[in-house]
Amino acid sequence: MPDAAPPETLATPATPSPLSGPAHAATAEAVLAALASDPARGLTAAEVELRRTRFGPNLLPEAPPLPAWRRFLAQFNQPLVLILIASGTVTAFLGEWVDSGVIFGVVLVNAIVGYLQEAKAVDALAALRRLLAAHARVVRDGVRTTVAGADLVPGDIVLLDAGDKVPADLRLIACHELHINEAMLTGESLPAAKHPAPLAADTGLADRLNLAYSGTLVTRGTGRGVVVATGRATETGRISTLVAEAESLDTPFTRKIARFSTRLLWLILALAGLTFAVGVARGQPAVDMFMAAVALAVGAIPEGLPAAVTVVLAIGVKRMAARRAIVRKLPAVETLGGVTVICSDKTGTLTQNAMTVQAIWAGRRFYAVSGGGYAPHGDIRPDEAGDAAPPPAASADPIAPAAATPLSLPLPLPGALGQTLLAGLLCNDATLAEVDGRWQVNGDPTEGALLAAAGKAGLGAAELRRHPRRDVLPFDSQRQYMATLHPVAGEHEGHDGHGRHALYVKGAAERLAPHFTAWLDPDGNERPWDAAAARNFAAALARLAGQGLRVLAFARKAHDLGDAVGEVGPALDHRQVAGGLVLLGLQGMMDPPRPEAARAVAACRQAGVQVKMITGDHALTAAAIARRLGLTVPEEEATGAAVGDSAPGEAPRQAYSGAELAALDDAAFAQAARQCHVFARVEPAQKVRLVTALQAAGEVVAMTGDGVNDAPALKAADIGVAMGEGGTETARDAADMVLTDDNFATIVAAVEEGRGVFDNLTKFVVWTLPTNLGEGLVLVVAIVAGLAIPITPLQILWINMTTAVLLGLTLAFEPIEAGVMARPPRHPERGLVDRVLVVRILVVGLLLVAGSFLVFNGKLASGGTLAEARTLAANLFVLGETAYLFNCRSLHQAPWRVPLFGNPWLWAGVGLMLALQAAFTHLPLMNRLFGTAPLSLAEWGLVAGLSLVVFVVVLGERWWGRLGTAKGGA
Ligand code: ATP
């Protein structure tokens, strides 16, 4: 069959297509028949196995990575390296074989180190990306399950929902307002409205409305389709270049470093040229001066810097992944460290998303529901205290179990309580299952809780069979409700979908309230919706929400659809929900805060990072949960701490609702965004406005999001955070970072790691710049002042090559310092090195130069040879840099407060460095190569002692600096 495939489904031998004709021209039934698939039951496990062997995995061909040799060669394509190669070549022509060899040695080592580091960083990022591989919801063996996208085979029945990425090429069987963004394939930026009807065979790619293409994004609605092509055979698979997402190691910081390095390079080259000119003018041999100029360039240019930055960032990515935060874009690693505001969803991120219905209000009566988790076991009792009492002030306790006797089962379904529970059961896409004695929810936890509550009243599978679903308006966070259509029990048989139906709606209470025209009393009579009914409803809602319960309202509407229900086309639309609703009742569910979230909120407060809860939930529910998390301060404190523009004595608002925000002008909105910590009933579109307002106030904003409409806010935020478990593929695509456990505490952990990364970058820079400065200055001073050179160019090359890798780079592995989260966030505009650090860099650079001249001249004065004097000076440099390394282990704490063996790499580097220096000094071969001479024990002692001076002086400088800060602050 595949041989006969027409061009539209052109099959490659690796992944043949099972269809003989274009899928869009055939009816859905014909395609299903050709693929031997059942639209309701899907394929069997055995059939899936067979097809997997035949068609292969559903993977798109990855663009071949840049071959290793090309990545290696790319290491040489840097200005500094090219200069070195040119100098090495000139030196070779001059017959200075040793010098030329060392220069090429430097080049080679540099390239190898750079290559290895880059390869590691690229691999780490690619591995993380694979962790985020997409999943697909399918029906197999009659059961809905989730499988890895790669496991799909032709004939699989796939379910699509808003926010999904289409996992393979599908022929759609059913669509409900299904809109798909196909820009990546067709260039059309408006989402295409999909429809399952067959089309003409010559319909173009962009107009095949009954197909969903692999990799495109569902923006709205739901759908069901059968897989017609997988892997390479998909439309996307054929344009494989689209799939190749290059791993970029560029970040704003690496670019800044690159710019800095280039500027430094020109400066140093100019200095080198000047030194050469001065030396020659003073009558020095041109060859020597050329070598000196080259050594100056090599010594003074911090060539290890770009590589070190990449290493530090790559280590950061790895450490964050170990703490369940997966960085999708490398720049996020450095931005995270500077985050000043975290805007977080409530449900599932700050709370456990483990919902249990605890209270019901129906027919003007309160009921208490017992039982925990999703087990459909427990009692529903009248809560008489609740009925009698006026709405109490917000309390931390959920509804207390009522003493009244449990209701007898089965509940009378016409009554308000029965109808409320029935609505929760019918207007529901989740299922419950008992696995190893534990009840688990498959689907939305909110809906799982409603199933469990219905189960406690004896409502379950039998009711679902009696009320088959004819149509659905899926939940979306913009509209905040969901509706389903059911034939009225007992009347649907033989009616073929026509006749009397009931519409069940559940959703945010205030969203549905304007559409109520009646309420149901305990006996099932519809009473008119009047002012008293509205007041009663509002009081019940406030009472439940004030306890931190997540409240959903339930309503129904009788519906005579006549012929509206058909095989094709929706019978329900949103206009039908607007108006004529009969309120059935409210269900309030508990979603306990995550204990670790409360700790993370406290950590943020200490770290000077503001936390704002941005939720789709009710303001009172949100405020109650916020209080429990320690997110908002208690009332009295707030009054005392009235901020900024609030009127005297007036407390800043504890919570704003989306509607209130919408009414604010830009200035008031900006103030609210800055001062308030809880934003409730916020629509996804308002999140963008919040992000921009905060950014305009100079904040660095991390924002979480999980829905399809959250993508713009995630993109606008400095750090867009998506959920790995609960979120949509669209949100993950837009995010900079994905949390594998959907947990707020993980964001805070990532911020902590981000701060650690920035610390380590700073440490490296603060260590490397004085050593480069010292190495360069030694030559400049000697030549310009006409003194003997204390360290030969060759020795400088050696020092530079060994210390940068063995000493400096080990700082990248320093663990996070204890106090990182006790400091305020780094100011986004601030450079890496402040004035204090500039002073330190100058002090250390000058100390190294002075020390080397001292030992060099001292040795010569006491009758030592030039080789001995130079060996002393060179060793002073290396040991001085080693001692200074220990000053750099922490930027904020005294060296002895840093765990001595916290960084094994540092000790390994120091050990190797000392061994190399011993060889450099004592091995005859090295003596010949580098013009060195063995030192006595006393001389080693002298060098070590002077190095300690560097250490102590830096200690003193820090102490002095702190004294200055303390005085300045007083
Ligand atoms: P967060 O934004 O913090 O995750 P949330 O889950 O409440 O909070 P949404 O998912 O946007 O935010 O839900 C908004 C509101 O819509 C909820 O408060 C609830 O009233 C209602 N709602 C949530 N889930 C459903 C559902 N499955 N069916 C009907 N209504 C729902």
Side-chain angles (χ1 to χ4, degrees):
M1 280 278 224
D3 298 341
E8 284 85 354
T9 52
L10 192 66
T12 57
T15 47
S17 165
L19 282 180
S20 57
H24 62 272
T27 60
E29 291 73 21
V31 174
L32 284 162
L35 291 162
S37 184
D38 181 330
R41 299 194 52 78
L43 299 173
T44 62
E47 188 58 36
V48 169
E49 266 321 304
L50 272 179
R51 294 190 189 196
R52 193 161 13 218
T53 15
R54 178 155 168 234
F55 297 107
N58 176 33
L59 289 175
L60 293 174
E62 282 183 19
L66 207 58
W69 64 269
R70 280 190 53 191
R71 274 200 287 181
F72 183 67
L73 279 190
Q75 303 295 328
F76 296 93
N77 189 17
Q78 297 168 20
L80 171 79
V81 176
L82 295 178
I83 290 170
L84 277 183
I85 293 176
S87 329
T89 315
V90 175
T91 320
F93 273 113
L94 295 175
E96 304 280 346
W97 298 112
V98 179
D99 300 39
S100 161
V102 170
I103 293 177
F104 282 117
V106 172
V107 170
L108 203 63
V109 168
N110 207 43
I112 291 173
V113 171
Y115 167 78
L116 290 179
Q117 281 155 0
E118 195 180 296
K120 256 175 83 177
V122 169
D123 287 350
L125 275 182
L128 293 179
R129 187 152 292 157
R130 276 195 292 277
L131 263 184
L132 292 176
H135 287 262
R137 274 171 306 119
V138 295
V139 181
R140 283 181 182 171
D141 284 316
V143 184
R144 289 178 179 209
T145 49
T146 304
V147 298
D151 285 346
L152 288 182
V153 294
D156 258 326
I157 301 294
V158 173
L159 305 172
L160 296 178
D161 215 337
D164 286 351
K165 191 182 255 180
V166 178
D169 280 4
L170 309 178
R171 169 64 167 88
L172 296 165
I173 314 169
C175 304
H176 202 293
E177 295 200 347
L178 184 67
H179 286 68
I180 300 186
N181 185 336
E182 296 174 339
M184 61 171 284
L185 209 57
T186 61
E188 172 58 55
S189 61
L190 282 183
K194 294 291 179 173
H195 202 285
L199 300 164
D202 60 355
T203 311
L205 190 78
D207 298 319
R208 296 179 193 165
L209 297 181
N210 55 20
L211 295 187
Y213 299 111
S214 179
T216 56
L217 292 169
V218 181
T219 54
R220 196 140 70 78
T222 55
R224 180 185 277 250
V226 55
V227 174
V228 292
T230 57
R232 273 169 197 277
T234 60
E235 290 298 336
T236 318
R238 295 189 214 174
I239 341 169
S240 57
T241 43
L242 269 182
V243 194
E245 238 183 287
E247 302 291 353
S248 165
L249 294 179
D250 259 8
T251 74
F253 187 71
T254 57
R255 282 193 290 272
K256 218 189 253 177
I257 286 285
R259 269 200 306 276
F260 171 74
S261 302
T262 321
R263 250 182 258 145
L264 205 64
L265 179 79
W266 291 116
L267 182 78
I268 292 166
L269 282 185
L271 211 60
L274 193 73
T275 314
F276 176 80
V278 171
V280 174
R282 281 178 181 278
Q284 308 265 21
V287 178
D288 288 2
M289 285 306 98
F290 174 74
M291 275 314 296
V294 170
L296 190 151
V298 178
I301 294 168
E303 65 271 24
L305 200 51
V309 173
T310 314
V311 181
V312 175
L313 293 178
I315 293 173
V317 167
K318 267 199 160 153
R319 285 181 179 172
M320 287 178 190
R323 296 178 77 174
R324 301 200 172 92
I326 295 183
V327 170
R328 291 186 67 244
K329 296 168 190 163
L330 197 59
V333 182
E334 44 184 74
T335 318
L336 268 165
V339 162
T340 58
V341 180
I342 304 177
C343 298
S344 174
D345 276 345
K346 172 178 70 73
T347 312
T349 313
L350 288 164
T351 65
Q352 298 174 11
N353 209 7
M355 311 266 181
T356 316
V357 173
Q358 291 192 335
I360 299 175
W361 178 82
R364 292 198 173 172
R365 290 183 187 158
F366 281 99
Y367 299 88
V369 185
S370 70
Y374 294 104
H377 310 306
D379 295 331
I380 301 178
R381 300 163 192 249
D383 182 4
E384 277 141 18
D387 283 347
S395 90
D397 300 318
I399 269 207
T405 41
L407 301 171
S408 56
L409 298 181
L411 280 180
L413 279 181
L417 177 61
Q419 283 292 306
T420 303
L421 290 164
L422 182 67
L425 174 73
L426 297 181
C427 192
N428 203 314
D429 278 330
T431 51
L432 294 180
E434 194 175 7
V435 183
D436 301 328
R438 271 199 56 192
W439 284 86
Q440 291 177 354
V441 50
N442 183 5
D444 181 354
T446 301
E447 299 190 343
L450 300 175
L451 293 182
K456 289 170 189 174
L459 303 177
E463 287 308 321
L464 283 171
R465 272 194 305 276
R466 270 163 50 83
H467 301 87
R469 179 189 290 187
R470 283 270 180 259
D471 205 0
V472 57
L473 292 174
F475 170 75
D476 84 69
S477 46
Q478 197 90 29
R479 299 191 198 267
Q480 301 187 337
Y481 66 77
M482 166 179 176
T484 52
L485 187 68
H486 307 265
V488 171
E491 294 191 15
H492 62 282
E493 290 96 339
H495 279 67
D496 206 18
H498 301 238
R500 287 220 309 134
H501 282 70
L503 177 82
Y504 282 101
V505 195
K506 75 174 197 301
E510 321 89 280
R511 283 293 160 127
L512 298 184
H515 306 299
F516 295 151
T517 51
W519 61 279
L520 204 67
D521 75 10
D523 304 320
N525 304 311
E526 292 183 11
R527 306 283 197 90
W529 188 257
D530 50 19
R535 259 197 320 274
N536 226 291
F537 171 76
L541 172 62
R543 178 183 142 84
L544 297 180
Q547 291 168 328
L549 297 179
R550 176 177 175 81
V551 185
L552 252 62
F554 298 81
R556 74 167 189 217
K557 182 176 180 179
H559 218 66
D560 192 353
L561 287 167
D563 290 334
V565 183
E567 273 300 290
V568 181
L572 265 186
D573 69 50
H574 292 283
R575 280 175 310 218
Q576 285 152 338
V577 178
L581 296 184
V582 181
L583 166 69
L584 305 173
L586 299 170
Q587 297 199 45
M589 53 193 85
M590 191 51 184
D591 178 17
R594 289 177 183 264
E596 65 274 26
R599 286 194 292 275
V601 167
C604 283
R605 176 157 297 160
Q606 216 194 359
V609 176
Q610 290 188 56
V611 180
K612 296 185 189 285
M613 177 195 279
I614 302 198
T615 177
D617 214 334
H618 192 279
L620 285 176
T621 311
I625 298 285
R627 261 194 307 278
R628 268 181 241 179
L629 283 166
L631 232 164
T632 44
V633 282
E635 238 65 58
E636 339 54 274
E637 259 180 67
T639 320
V643 215
D645 307 335
S646 308
E650 184 192 323
R653 286 285 293 273
Q654 296 264 342
Y656 270 97
S657 74
E660 289 168 332
L661 285 178
L664 298 178
D665 63 22
D666 282 345
F669 183 92
Q671 193 188 346
R674 281 200 315 274
Q675 292 182 350
C676 186
H677 288 96
V678 180
F679 299 90
R681 291 286 191 237
V682 171
E683 287 176 19
Q686 290 182 309
K687 289 187 175 181
V688 179
R689 199 172 166 210
L690 274 170
V691 168
T692 359
L694 288 168
Q695 284 172 334
E699 308 286 1
V700 179
V701 185
M703 164 74 87
T704 69
D706 45 17
V708 55
N709 302 326
D710 289 334
L714 294 181
K715 286 212 174 111
D718 298 281
I719 299 281
V721 185
M723 305 299 149
E725 279 182 355
T728 58
E729 208 65 53
T730 311
R732 284 194 277 275
D733 257 20
D736 302 288
M737 181 169 92
V738 175
L739 311 178
T740 60
D741 60 356
D742 297 9
N743 191 341
F744 175 76
T746 303
I747 308 176
V748 182
V751 168
E752 185 182 352
E753 290 294 347
R755 290 184 173 196
V757 162
F758 234 91
D759 271 4
N760 283 359
L761 284 176
T762 316
K763 287 172 200 172
F764 182 81
V765 171
V766 171
W767 178 83
T768 199
L769 291 184
T771 57
N772 289 114
L773 179 73
E775 286 165 22
L777 267 188
V778 163
L779 290 174
V780 178
V781 169
I783 293 169
V784 172
L787 305 170
I789 299 178
I791 308 179
T792 66
L794 204 58
Q795 289 165 349
I796 294 237
L797 287 176
W798 160 264
I799 295 173
N800 198 285
M801 178 168 82
T802 49
T803 57
V805 176
L806 292 178
L807 299 182
L809 216 53
T810 64
L811 288 173
F813 297 90
E814 275 299 323
I816 300 186
E817 285 178 38
V820 271
M821 292 300 271
R823 306 199 293 257
R826 185 179 58 87
H827 194 277
E829 306 286 289
R830 217 181 75 193
L832 195 59
V833 185
D834 57 16
R835 222 181 33 177
V836 178
L837 294 182
V838 169
V839 171
R840 189 172 309 161
I841 289 167
L842 288 176
V843 167
V844 175
L846 293 177
L847 267 182
L848 288 175
V849 175
S852 55
F853 272 105
L854 187 76
V855 289
F856 176 76
N857 289 331
K859 185 70 191 176
L860 287 184
S862 64
T865 65
L866 199 59
E868 285 166 347
R870 284 187 168 150
T871 311
L872 268 176
N875 273 313
L876 178 97
F877 242 93
V878 172
L879 292 196
E881 289 180 16
T882 311
Y884 179 53
L885 188 69
F886 286 86
N887 289 114
C888 294
R889 287 191 64 199
S890 168
L891 297 167
H892 303 270
Q893 286 176 337
W896 49 85
R897 292 206 190 278
V898 183
L900 196 56
F901 297 105
N903 179 4
W905 289 98
L906 179 117
W907 288 103
V910 168
L912 203 58
M913 188 69 237
L914 293 181
L916 279 180
Q917 275 319 101
F920 175 83
T921 313
H922 295 285
L923 273 191
L925 174 71
M926 299 291 264
N927 293 157
R928 262 203 312 284
L929 277 179
F930 288 97
T932 52
L935 299 182
S936 71
L937 210 58
E939 285 167 330
W940 274 113
L942 171 73
V943 173
L946 285 177
S947 314
L948 271 183
V949 172
V950 176
F951 181 77
V952 174
V953 168
V954 175
L955 279 189
E957 178 265 332
R958 282 175 69 157
W959 177 75
W960 183 257
R962 204 158 311 139
L963 216 62
T965 329
K967 269 195 202 142

